[in-house]
Amino acid sequence: MVRYEIRIAGFGGQGVITLSKMIITAVSLYENLAATQTEAYSASARGGRCWAEVIVELDRNIETIDYPQALRPYDFLIILSGESAASVNPDFIKKDENTGYLLWDPSTIQKFRAVRQIKKALSIPVQKIAVEKFGNIVFGNSILFGAFTILSGIISEESAIETLKKFVPSSTLEKNLEAFELGKKEALDFIKKLKEEN
Amino acid sequence: MSKENNKRFLQEGKYVMMGNVAMSEGALAAGLEFFGGYPITPSTEVIEHLAKRMPEVGGVCMQMEDELASINAIMGASLVGAKSMTATSGPGFSLMVETISMAACLEIPFVFCDVQRNGPGTGFVTEPHHNDLGLMRFAGNGEFGVIALAPMNCQELFDLTITAFNFAETYRCPVFIISDAYLGHLHEAINIPPKEEIMKKVIPRELPDNFDNKFTYLDPTTNKYITPKAPIMGTDYVPIMFLHQPHNPNGMSSRRLALPFTQMLIDKIKLNMDKISLTEEYKLEDAEIVIISYGLPVRTSYRAVDIARKEGIKVGIFRLITVWPFPDEKVKKVVKDAKAVIVPELNYTGIIAEQVERVTKLETPIIRIPKVCDFHHPNDILEKIREVVK
């Protein structure tokens, strides 16, 4: 049993739940791994504090996730709002090799105290790039998805692109793929930087 | 309403689905033609999804003015031959019980999905709490049998909903699906089987072969209860008497029929336990400690059992898929030589633990693991297993 625990937190409307659905779709439909997703409900999902969790079982012999709630420390944490950043503690993230990543958006988070103590923390001003470069914040999701694909290493690029095709309207696919590539590049540069530091 | 509609079935394959949606798709695959409901957290996605899907399959999804109207509407639809269901949560269920009793008396088939939430009163609306099990068993006045099925994942929400409809058609009694706020909102991959495979399983609603009996009767030659197909009003199959009092197989009422009638409502289910009672066993062969449960707590029990087995503890699981009617005989057999029985449940009282107590020797300890607005981590169960061994 090798559980991979993912948590995404932000505010409603940022695409927190969509991103989690993209992740579970990629892992369960295209990677054939067992996975579950749970999400914030009602008012919080529509503007308040919003969160979503995905658990992926990396052991292919296991067909179901017995305990469908993400457990700390997480393998992957995505933080998109100041409010959710305030509650993050460095211990929330795994310290093992090749896992325990924090991905956050400095264009929506002014202060992130815990970030200094987290080694594998990548900041991408997702919302800013999405608006300035692509003209709409909805493209932020594809940037995040690109970064997630590379950093987590649990989904192949092909699976990720198939998933994107399923989620975005065909008219915006090109732009979304561009956003996805941008996220990918940020993640690859980050991994390179981490390696150099070591 | 067209019964042969291809859109009823999703294309064969793997999908990621929310529990409530998987349940709705199961209902569509089973031939659901009328959904009447009133939105209530955490069951709202059911009516949301069906509002979109029902027109596609030539069915009707109607948002009624309240829960009373919802349950009465589905009874009416069922009487004219449409497979019907509703979905609600605890507070909505409380409002519906009067009609459930009436439907049981008239033997109207229907399926009722209860996506349970915390209670009493309003409670925490998005939190799981298996606190309606008693209500399912005893909903409404009078004595009658019910069937309740407890899925534990999204795949089973799909599969068991088909089974639920089949039970409703076969036994013409209230059939419940035991879901909860957590299971209803869980997203998981599910496999949709090919259409042909589903159609082979589904018992359709059609006119009976003969019109002699409209309600369940005792066959004097075999001494068995025979439940004919539900009558369909507005066809040549008339007249149909629907009496909300003890009645004979044709719907005519008499005081002298009260005892045999009550007996029939209960025994038509009890005597078919071999077909209705669905259970599963896991590592029970030599088990000294038996875990008995249903729904989500079973899901987390498997890991606890596997770890305990590695430690040399003889423990196994007896899973109730059919929770009502409670399988007295099967449980008696399972707990006969058990040194202890553990019943993890998502409630405080231990509604099923009480049933286990009824069929277990007085000296056998029955250990409850109550959880409310939360659910068991495998360690919660493992700890209890270790405690028992000490």
Side-chain angles (χ1 to χ4, degrees):
Chain A
M1 197 191 63
V2 195
R3 279 167 67 106
Y4 195 90
E5 326 257 359
I6 306 158
R7 187 177 164 93
I8 311 167
F11 45 75
Q14 268 182 318
V16 169
I17 288 170
T18 312
L19 183 59
S20 70
K21 283 185 179 164
M22 282 161 84
I23 295 172
I24 189 181
T25 304
V27 292
S28 44
L29 297 193
Y30 300 110
E31 297 293 337
N32 277 316
L33 296 167
T36 56
Q37 183 263 17
T38 47
E39 60 191 37
Y41 195 71
S42 71
S44 58
R46 297 180 191 106
R49 246 185 189 188
C50 184
W51 58 267
E53 293 178 341
V54 183
I55 296 128
V56 186
E57 177 57 65
L58 300 180
D59 183 346
R60 285 185 189 275
N61 298 318
I62 294 176
E63 284 168 11
T64 45
I65 307 277
D66 53 4
Y67 186 73
Q69 208 160 36
L71 295 168
R72 284 179 201 152
Y74 306 117
D75 289 275
F76 212 106
L77 186 60
I78 302 175
I79 300 289
L80 302 174
S81 74
E83 203 186 357
S84 48
S87 59
V88 173
N89 181 309
D91 296 338
F92 286 7
I93 296 179
K94 279 190 189 164
K95 300 207 165 51
D96 312 348
E97 216 182 315
N98 290 332
T99 189
Y101 290 98
L102 168 72
L103 187 55
W104 62 287
D105 183 352
S107 58
T108 51
I109 302 168
Q110 270 80 44
K111 223 197 235 160
F112 199 155
R113 278 217 186 99
V115 86
R116 265 174 258 155
Q117 287 157 273
I118 299 167
K119 208 179 156 214
K120 282 175 267 182
L122 168 60
S123 67
I124 309 177
V126 180
Q127 218 160 76
K128 201 167 152 237
I129 301 174
V131 174
E132 286 174 5
K133 203 161 175 187
F134 301 101
N136 195 327
I137 55 165
V138 294
F139 293 98
N141 248 337
S142 298
I143 303 176
L144 288 167
F145 193 49
F148 175 84
T149 305
I150 296 298
L151 291 182
S152 71
I154 60 168
I155 32 181
S156 68
E157 266 187 68
E158 296 80 53
S159 306
I161 288 168
E162 283 305 309
T163 309
L164 257 186
K165 283 183 192 161
K166 221 180 160 103
F167 273 81
V168 305
S170 52
S171 57
T172 66
L173 181 62
E174 216 167 291
K175 259 186 169 180
N176 272 296
L177 285 173
E178 212 179 299
F180 178 81
E181 286 298 323
L182 201 146
K184 234 178 77 184
K185 198 182 157 290
E186 289 279 346
L188 287 168
D189 291 347
F190 179 66
I191 288 178
K192 215 167 130 193
K193 202 185 104 199
L194 279 181
K195 269 188 192 155
E196 280 165 9
E197 276 173 18
N198 281 338
Chain B
M1 278 181 235
S2 108
K3 297 204 174 189
E4 285 311 312
N5 190 312
N6 282 335
K7 282 201 178 149
R8 209 174 99 188
F9 305 97
L10 286 180
Q11 214 184 343
E12 174 192 357
K14 206 173 175 186
Y15 295 78
V16 173
M17 257 184 212
M18 180 191 260
N20 279 337
V21 173
M23 198 284 301
S24 313
E25 284 298 334
L28 285 165
L32 176 70
E33 287 174 293
F34 183 86
F35 181 91
Y38 188 75
I40 178 171
T41 302
S43 78
T44 308
E45 292 80 10
V46 177
I47 189 167
E48 237 172 47
H49 185 70
L50 288 172
K52 194 170 70 197
R53 287 281 276 131
M54 288 303 272
E56 289 175 10
V57 307
V60 175
C61 173
M62 203 177 270
Q63 179 178 329
M64 307 302 295
E65 67 267 34
D66 60 19
E67 280 85 356
L68 262 80
S70 306
I71 188 105
N72 281 292
I74 69 164
M75 294 313 155
S78 189
L79 280 178
V80 293
K83 283 194 180 179
S84 312
M85 88 174 298
T86 190
T88 188
S89 189
F93 194 164
S94 309
L95 295 168
M96 293 183 181
V97 289
E98 184 190 8
T99 311
I100 291 172
S101 151
M102 180 67 80
C105 177
L106 303 180
E107 298 191 80
I108 305 174
F110 70 99
V111 174
F112 186 117
C113 176
D114 183 12
V115 190
Q116 295 170 89
R117 74 186 204 193
N118 174 237
T122 304
F124 287 112
V125 301
T126 59
E127 300 293 343
H129 188 168
H130 287 176
N131 54 359
D132 294 345
L133 269 99
L135 189 56
M136 286 174 205
R137 171 69 185 79
F138 298 108
N141 58 310
E143 291 180 87
F144 54 90
V146 300
I147 300 174
L149 304 175
M152 66 170 178
N153 54 39
C154 295
Q155 182 71 51
E156 287 186 352
L157 273 166
F158 179 87
D159 297 339
L160 286 177
T161 302
I162 298 177
T163 311
F165 271 92
N166 285 347
F167 281 162
E169 292 304 311
T170 314
Y171 302 105
R172 292 171 58 185
C173 66
V175 181
F176 298 100
I177 295 164
I178 308 173
S179 183
D180 61 65
Y182 204 85
L183 190 59
H185 289 151
L186 188 69
H187 285 73
E188 259 181 322
I190 80 163
N191 279 310
I192 303 282
K195 175 188 155 192
E196 295 71 31
E197 208 174 283
I198 298 173
M199 277 172 80
K200 247 185 262 165
K201 267 195 261 172
V202 171
I203 298 174
R205 178 75 62 88
E206 50 195 15
L207 277 178
D209 300 331
N210 73 67
F211 300 139
D212 298 344
N213 294 290
K214 283 116 188 160
F215 297 96
T216 303
Y217 61 96
L218 192 63
D219 186 348
T221 51
T222 58
N223 216 23
K224 274 186 179 158
Y225 285 100
I226 310 282
T227 305
K229 285 197 160 292
I232 299 177
M233 278 163 70
T235 63
D236 297 341
Y237 176 32
V238 282
I240 305 161
M241 301 279 285
F242 279 106
L243 239 123
H244 51 92
Q245 279 171 337
H247 51 74
N248 70 4
N250 280 315
M252 307 283 279
S253 162
S254 153
R255 191 181 64 85
R256 265 168 307 164
L257 292 169
L259 178 63
F261 177 75
T262 311
Q263 212 171 351
M264 176 276 284
L265 285 182
I266 289 164
D267 285 353
K268 69 173 175 180
I269 293 164
K270 230 181 179 177
L271 299 179
N272 284 304
M273 281 295 270
D274 54 329
K275 292 175 210 111
I276 296 170
S277 176
L278 311 172
T279 54
E280 262 173 21
E281 298 184 2
Y282 184 68
K283 301 194 175 171
L284 267 184
E285 313 77 42
D286 58 343
E288 289 170 349
I289 301 167
V290 180
I291 295 173
I292 300 182
S293 197
Y294 55 94
L296 278 177
V298 184
R299 191 170 163 147
T300 54
S301 295
Y302 292 107
R303 198 193 326 169
V305 166
D306 288 344
I307 298 171
R309 281 267 168 186
K310 273 185 198 151
E311 293 171 10
I313 306 169
K314 289 179 178 166
V315 54
I317 302 170
F318 185 72
R319 178 190 171 200
L320 306 168
I321 299 173
T322 305
V323 173
W324 305 123
F326 190 77
D328 292 5
E329 296 309 315
K330 279 189 188 173
V331 175
K332 255 185 219 169
K333 228 184 259 171
V334 168
V335 300
K336 195 166 61 100
D337 301 316
K339 287 192 183 140
V341 182
I342 299 174
V343 190
E345 273 186 82
L346 296 187
N347 57 48
Y348 176 68
T349 326
I351 300 171
I352 293 307
E354 278 176 355
Q355 296 295 318
V356 177
E357 264 164 356
R358 209 166 42 76
V359 294
T360 311
K361 278 185 244 160
L362 282 174
E363 58 272 24
T364 314
I366 291 167
I367 298 125
R368 292 165 163 83
I369 315 178
K371 287 270 177 191
V372 172
C373 289
D374 192 6
F375 54 97
H376 307 81
H377 185 272
N379 285 347
D380 297 328
I381 296 160
L382 190 61
E383 256 167 47
K384 279 281 177 224
I385 297 173
R386 286 178 182 147
E387 241 170 66
V388 171
V389 179
K390 269 184 205 162

